[in-house]
Amino acid sequence: MLKYLIEKEFRQLLRNPFLPRLILMFPLMVLLFLPLAANFEVKNINMTLVDNDHSSYSRQLRQKILSSGYFRLTEISSNYSQALKTIESDKADLILEIPPGFEEDLIREQTAQLMISVNAVNGTKGAFGSSYLSRIINDFNMSIITELALIKDIRMVPSFQIISQYRFNPYLRYPVFMVPALMVMLLTMICGFLPALNIVGEKEKGTMEQMNVTPVKKPTLILSKLIPYWIIGFIVLTLSFGISRIFYDLKPAGNIFTIYLFAFIFILAISGFGLVISNYANTLQQAMFMMFFFVITFIFMSGLYTPVRSMPEWAQILSIFVPLKYMIEVLRMVYLKGSGFADLMVELFFLVGFAVFFNLWAVVSYKKVN
Amino acid sequence: MTVIQADKLTKRFGKFTAVDHISFEVKKGEIFGFLGANGAGKTTAMRMLCGLSKASSGLGRVAGFDIQKESEKIKKVIGYMSQKFSLYEDLTVRENIRLYAGIYGIPEKEISPKTDLLLENLGFSSEKNTLVKALPLGWKQKLSFSVAIFHDPVIVFLDEPTGGVDPSTRRQFWELIYDASQRGITVFVTTHYMDEAEYCDRVSIMVDGRIDAMDSPTNLKKQFQSPSMDGVFQQLARKAKRQAD
């Protein structure tokens, strides 16, 4: 019986003018463009400079800032109040004011005061901008001190330098961090939405009622909807592995079959979730809206963009119930750290739990009779 | 032999009683017409018998099985054709037949020859690989019916099978019904068309959730002193208090 139902699902899917293409295009688009577009690195910070010193040091500083590549000089103002106008009119993100006597103070006392004013409307850009700028200025300061130490006989202030080494992602490349997680998002979208919409579509057309008067059992019907999306999920995942290999030179540090095994369970969980939704929605509109609500919540709570550990405590507790969180951890750990099966027992436990829970719920809430 | 038995079958939706203590029996091989105005409760009654809807009270037996407790057993031996066309439009004629044949457990080897025979009888052989959505409505309905009886059910339930179909196709459709009845399949059919009521062995007329009359068309016409079933229906339907939906 199941064989005929699955055969039917595949016939319908392949005959659909749109879905097969979507299934191929979607991973390509998400993996190629999202890591480039949704990047936390801030560039093109617009800076207004107020230089009250006009010395060779102030010119050097300006040169150093601009050559870092993060800043763009929007304007050079003659005084602070004029500079403030560029922030008010949203032309600049920050103002750097160099006080008069900057060079003299530096030579005499090895320190000088600078003022950075930040436009905090775009908080991220502002915060990143001022921290980049401070780092550049510190760097500049250090090089001046060493330079002066050679000429004049001054006591060198003992100083530290912190050298950071980043394990698992040495260059802090953003795609390395994002691509594995985006694969989970892809699986969620494809394997969560499609079976749910498929069932609700059949409800709307009336073909589901026809199925309900046949002897097809509830679990059989549900399996017939799950299995095709399982297979599609594996195709999408394999495609994603290929894309990340070719375009980001990214291959899992761990065993790829660990990922497949976890994907098997994760797809079951997320499709089961979609099926639960489909049992409560009577129209495609309702189903779409419910799915969006949950999937968007899941994505933001999962640690895909922002780490779960830095969320407020209530949010961390909520994120325990987000299946995506565990799968994203699995993919990042296998891809970046090369974790094996034994390191992922907690994730395995939760994902199996979700899979069982959602699918039982789907079978129980599926009503052949009303 | 009785194949459908309803005893004070009732369905309530909140305070609204859609089907109000109906009792009737249908014998094997009979063509039983289930008549009533829109909203009289025909479809609800039929859905309870098919196991699509749970009865609020009363008893029902279909093909010897209890409708409350053994609905899954009933589903194996009935065919159902709903008001709404419900074959898969994006599958071909052949694929639809194959799907339902498979679901009802017809052995793989028998499906193909049986399909060919059916399509030949229907005069559909040239359309076997046509997508169902491309068929004209009359053809779709004939195909739906043929799919509903493909597994040789004991009873077939037809919910307004000829709605929106032209008169000549309706005639052909009724020929198919007669054929099925000849093969021993009991036909339970709801309809709005009073000329179709004349084709039935027995009819019941529902008004406001109750069965107000039930007999052969000839006897009903005598009883209500009307030359046609239409006259009988008008006399009964006039008593209805419920608004048609």
Side-chain angles (χ1 to χ4, degrees), chain A residues 103-112 145 148 152 154:
Chain A
E103 193 176 63
E104 266 182 57
D105 288 350
L106 259 183
I107 294 172
R108 204 177 308 134
E109 294 160 34
Q110 286 88 49
T111 62
I145 292 172
L148 289 174
K152 300 204 298 183
I154 52 167

Side-chain angles (χ1 to χ4, degrees), chain A residues 304-320:
Chain A
L304 177 72
Y305 292 110
T306 47
V308 174
R309 295 262 165 76
S310 53
M311 290 178 189
E313 202 169 338
W314 58 266
Q316 290 195 34
I317 290 168
L318 270 183
S319 80
I320 294 172

Side-chain angles (χ1 to χ4, degrees), chain B residues 43-185:
Chain B
T43 302
T44 312
M46 186 185 255
R47 286 171 59 90
M48 282 193 282
L49 294 173
C50 296
L52 280 173
S53 179
K54 254 199 155 38
S56 309
S57 69
L59 292 172
R61 293 185 84 77
V62 172
F65 300 114
D66 188 300
I67 59 164
Q68 304 277 32
K69 291 177 205 128
E70 298 170 302
S71 65
E72 290 305 309
K73 284 185 186 152
I74 292 175
K75 284 171 184 174
K76 284 188 186 134
V77 294
I78 61 166
Y80 173 78
M81 181 179 163
S82 83
Q83 239 170 46
K84 218 166 159 185
F85 176 73
S86 49
L87 291 179
Y88 289 96
E89 300 225 308
D90 48 357
L91 294 181
T92 65
V93 172
R94 249 198 123 80
E95 287 163 357
N96 265 296
I97 297 174
R98 182 180 157 77
L99 170 65
Y100 283 102
I103 286 175
Y104 283 103
I106 297 177
E108 174 97 54
K109 274 184 291 180
E110 288 174 29
I111 296 176
S112 195
K114 211 175 163 187
T115 306
D116 288 334
L117 190 69
L118 169 73
L119 293 177
E120 206 170 304
N121 288 340
L122 285 176
F124 274 16
S125 293
S126 58
E127 304 293 333
K128 62 184 178 192
N129 292 323
T130 308
L131 289 186
V132 163
K133 68 175 151 212
L135 295 177
L137 182 68
W139 290 44
K140 281 184 182 170
Q141 297 300 85
K142 282 197 271 182
L143 181 65
S144 272
F145 178 71
S146 306
V147 169
I149 59 164
F150 195 76
H151 58 291
D152 293 311
V154 180
I155 307 151
V156 64
F157 290 90
L158 310 172
D159 196 1
E160 289 175 26
T162 53
V165 169
D166 68 73
S168 92
T169 316
R170 261 170 58 199
R171 250 209 120 68
Q172 291 169 14
F173 194 91
W174 274 87
E175 278 164 21
L176 291 178
I177 293 182
Y178 274 122
D179 281 349
S181 163
Q182 226 113 71
R183 274 160 61 192
I185 298 173

Side-chain angles (χ1 to χ4, degrees), chain A residues 188-307:
Chain A
T188 308
M189 301 289 275
I190 289 177
C191 302
F193 270 85
L194 292 184
L197 296 185
N198 176 306
I199 288 194
V200 181
E202 283 213 28
K203 267 195 202 173
E204 277 193 339
K205 282 193 200 111
T207 47
M208 202 42 110
E209 181 170 291
Q210 190 70 46
M211 274 297 151
N212 288 345
V213 277
T214 68
V216 174
K217 300 243 165 11
K218 287 202 272 186
T220 314
L221 189 78
I222 295 221
L223 266 181
S224 79
K225 298 289 180 192
L226 276 181
I227 291 172
Y229 294 97
W230 236 336
I231 296 172
I232 289 169
F234 276 108
I235 295 174
V236 168
L237 195 63
T238 311
L239 203 66
S240 309
F241 289 154
I243 293 171
S244 54
R245 181 84 183 248
I246 295 168
F247 292 95
Y248 299 104
D249 194 25
L250 201 65
K251 48 192 168 203
N255 194 331
I256 205 157
F257 291 102
T258 316
I259 301 181
Y260 276 116
L261 180 85
F262 275 93
F264 186 79
I265 302 164
F266 176 72
I267 295 171
L268 187 59
I270 203 73
S271 306
F273 172 75
L275 294 178
V276 170
I277 296 272
S278 75
N279 288 340
Y280 290 94
N282 290 314
T283 64
L284 279 173
Q285 223 174 8
Q286 288 174 357
M288 273 303 249
F289 202 71
M290 277 205 265
M291 280 308 279
F292 266 121
F293 171 75
F294 284 107
V295 166
I296 289 177
T297 315
F298 280 177
I299 287 176
F300 281 99
M301 300 293 287
S302 65
L304 177 72
Y305 292 110
T306 47

